[in-house]
Amino acid sequence: MNSRYLEITYRRGRPVAAYFYLPRRPGDVSARTIVGEAGLVTDYAADGRPIGIEITSPGVVTLPIFNAALAAAQQSPAAPDDIAPLLSGYQRSSAPG
């Protein structure tokens, strides 16, 4: 997987957990984790590459907090649309295609 994407688990219409996938190689698995602010847990492959961020408390995530976790993993920041379903009250900047 060469692109980043967000996967969300919902219960009764509300997000209860999410995972932001970072670029990874086939067979990559989490070898270590670092727990960050607001329930964000960054997963690293055995060679030290970040492979994803687990979002254990989606209701408290803000774009600045999320981008701080990405920066700590030496990743480029997310745009609001990248995590829009987690941002309370966020409206997409463009109409669906």
Side-chain angles (χ1 to χ4, degrees):
M1 178 66 49
N2 291 326
S3 62
R4 304 180 335 170
Y5 68 95
L6 178 67
E7 182 176 272
I8 303 173
T9 301
Y10 290 90
R11 183 168 293 133
R12 296 185 181 138
R14 294 183 181 228
V16 294
Y19 196 82
F20 192 76
Y21 287 87
L22 297 171
R24 57 178 63 207
R25 298 177 188 148
D28 275 348
V29 295
S30 179
R32 91 181 154 96
T33 60
I34 295 180
V35 178
E37 189 177 355
L40 299 177
V41 180
T42 304
D43 293 329
Y44 291 85
D47 64 4
R49 287 176 298 106
I51 58 172
I53 299 176
E54 183 178 357
I55 304 161
T56 63
S57 300
V60 300
V61 172
T62 64
L63 187 60
I65 289 171
F66 190 74
N67 280 336
L70 285 170
Q74 300 179 351
Q75 297 292 303
S76 60
D81 280 352
D82 294 336
I83 63 168
L86 302 179
L87 301 176
S88 177
Y90 178 78
Q91 299 211 352
R92 290 187 58 84
S93 60
S94 59

